[in-house]
Amino acid sequence: MPNELASRLEPIVAEAVTAAGFDLDALDVQQAGRRKLVKVVVDSDDGVGLDEVADVSRVLSETLDQHEHLIAGAYTLEVTSPGVDRPLTTQRHWRRAKFRQVRVTPTEGAEFTGRVGRADETAVRLLVDGTVRDVRYADVAKAVLEVEFKQPPAGELKLLEQDAGEAAEGDNDNSEGAAAAAPEEEPR
């Protein structure tokens, strides 16, 4: 019943969270004694602070009260942001982890650690043992952030920034309908 309820609530909750300027990362409904526990995880590219969690909680509380016929009883609403142990499962997660260290368990092969670069629709660029490489999302069984207690090495960040810059230049050079380069003028 709670999973069925989560399915019915998801579009309503997602719309309210999106209207508040955030992304719905997860929705879970569990029975907790006589009440239901509605747990909502929200995220954004800029992260989510405590004040923002409180704002989203108020918006969601009002929204759920308007749809109390779906919940059919007392409920407790819990709004939170994702923890560092949340697996990276979507492009959005990878994009938000830019420059962070991640532990990747591939679908085949040995586990490895790398630093996240740019993330596109099908793959992420990771700096692994000094080499930038593409890792397709489909080839990742599990990926989680590694907690770092010091600043990332400047050299690693520079490599990833250069890689992203080269990719952006390549995108511009290969775009259809790009204007031809103007001939150079000779100095007078």
Side-chain angles (χ1 to χ4, degrees):
M1 174 79 168
N3 290 335
E4 180 185 320
L5 179 56
S7 307
R8 288 186 284 156
L9 288 176
E10 186 168 3
I12 296 162
V13 170
E15 183 179 335
V17 169
T18 302
F22 298 94
D23 297 314
L24 176 62
D25 204 55
L27 170 65
D28 186 38
V29 179
Q30 300 173 356
Q31 194 68 42
R34 292 183 186 167
R35 297 178 154 262
K36 292 177 183 76
L37 173 63
V38 179
K39 184 174 181 181
V40 179
V41 181
V42 297
D43 200 5
S44 81
D45 285 347
D46 299 325
V48 182
L50 289 176
D51 290 339
E52 295 163 322
V53 166
D55 292 342
V56 173
S57 183
R58 279 189 289 279
V59 168
L60 282 174
S61 182
E62 291 172 10
T63 301
L64 291 175
D65 286 349
Q66 292 171 3
H67 294 86
E68 64 185 342
H69 61 282
L70 291 175
I71 298 175
Y75 69 92
T76 300
L77 175 63
E78 180 182 315
V79 179
T80 187
S81 61
V84 294
D85 59 342
R86 174 207 43 205
L88 304 174
T89 57
T90 67
Q91 177 194 5
R92 179 178 75 230
H93 296 158
W94 287 97
R95 187 181 70 242
R96 291 175 181 162
K98 188 171 184 177
F99 300 138
R100 304 276 308 267
Q101 193 81 14
V102 295
R103 185 173 16 95
V104 178
T105 305
T107 54
E108 294 181 13
E111 183 176 274
F112 61 91
T113 302
R115 189 164 305 281
V116 178
R118 63 183 165 84
D120 64 25
E121 291 183 23
T122 59
V124 62
R125 300 281 284 174
L126 290 177
L127 178 62
V128 180
D129 297 327
T131 304
V132 178
R133 69 184 210 197
D134 286 321
V135 176
R136 291 176 354 113
Y137 304 132
D139 296 335
V140 175
K142 183 178 179 185
V144 293
L145 291 174
E146 290 283 287
V147 177
E148 295 181 272
F149 294 102
K150 58 183 179 176
Q151 291 287 5
E156 290 183 5
L157 297 179
K158 186 175 181 179
L159 275 171
L160 289 170
E161 287 172 347
Q162 286 174 339
D163 180 64
E166 291 168 8
E169 287 175 18
D171 290 345
N172 291 338
D173 292 344
N174 296 330
S175 63
E176 288 187 21
E184 290 185 33
E185 290 185 30
E186 291 185 28
R188 298 185 181 165

